[in-house]
Amino acid sequence: ANSPAKPVQPQDEEEEDDDDSDDDIDLFGDTDEEEDAAAEKLKEQRVKAYQEKKGKKAPLVAKSMIVLDVKPWDDETDMADVEKSVRSITTDGLTWGQSKLVPLAYGIKKLQISCVVEDDKVGTDFLEEKITEFEDFVQSVDIAAFNKL
């Protein structure tokens, strides 16, 4: 005769939770104030060191590379003199680069010259005005390329 299984009765062992054993590892608990103060002091030191390091760097200067087309009046204009005149323009934030003569039409060649300028100090209007002041050599000035660096 098979009888239904009897429900398992818990044994009478002590099944009390030991609350004392959980106190050893307190994952979400408060840290003591000394640790907080030390961590805060360390954080302040690191922030101060970062600010000093950041302050030493020179501010980033916005620069542009400009390629100018300088067109002469006719084919008899001495392009070496034109280039010499253009390169004689000097100002803070202006650095002249390479140049070349490019055929334009009917034997006329234009001077294509590049320069690097600091955006806050030198503008394209300034360059165009200064170059066109050489009225004996220069008919017009165009901006062939303008690139931010």
Side-chain angles (χ1 to χ4, degrees):
N2 290 334
S3 62
K6 293 183 181 178
V8 178
Q9 297 290 331
Q11 296 179 354
D12 287 342
E13 294 179 20
E14 291 184 29
E15 291 189 16
E16 295 178 17
D17 287 336
D18 253 349
D19 289 337
D20 295 340
S21 67
D22 291 340
D23 289 341
D24 293 342
I25 302 172
D26 191 7
L27 296 176
F28 302 103
D30 296 330
T31 58
D32 53 0
E33 291 180 18
E34 289 178 13
E35 288 179 13
D36 285 345
E40 190 64 31
K41 186 175 181 181
L42 180 64
K43 181 180 174 185
E44 287 176 13
Q45 288 174 345
R46 288 184 179 165
V47 167
K48 185 177 178 184
Y50 171 75
Q51 293 294 343
E52 287 175 4
K53 182 179 177 185
K54 187 177 174 185
K56 289 179 185 176
K57 289 185 180 178
L60 186 63
V61 178
K63 292 185 177 182
S64 300
M65 187 178 105
I66 303 172
V67 178
L68 299 166
D69 285 343
V70 181
K71 297 174 187 163
W73 285 109
D74 57 25
D75 61 339
E76 294 178 12
T77 304
D78 186 359
M79 295 309 288
D81 288 343
V82 172
E83 183 176 355
K84 192 183 298 182
S85 300
V86 170
R87 288 186 185 274
S88 71
I89 300 170
T90 56
T91 185
D92 187 34
L94 171 64
T95 307
W96 291 108
Q98 62 187 14
S99 64
K100 63 180 179 180
L101 296 177
V102 179
L104 193 57
Y106 304 106
I108 299 174
K109 294 183 179 181
K110 66 181 176 182
L111 173 68
Q112 196 168 62
I113 188 165
S114 66
C115 62
V116 176
V117 298
E118 292 181 23
D119 294 347
D120 294 338
K121 297 179 181 178
V122 182
T124 56
D125 293 340
F126 169 81
L127 288 172
E128 288 183 45
E129 287 173 16
K130 289 294 185 183
I131 294 172
T132 52
E133 285 178 5
F134 302 113
E135 296 172 349
D136 296 340
F137 302 122
V138 179
Q139 175 191 348
S140 65
V141 177
D142 294 324
I143 298 171
F146 189 108
N147 298 312
K148 294 283 185 187
L149 298 180

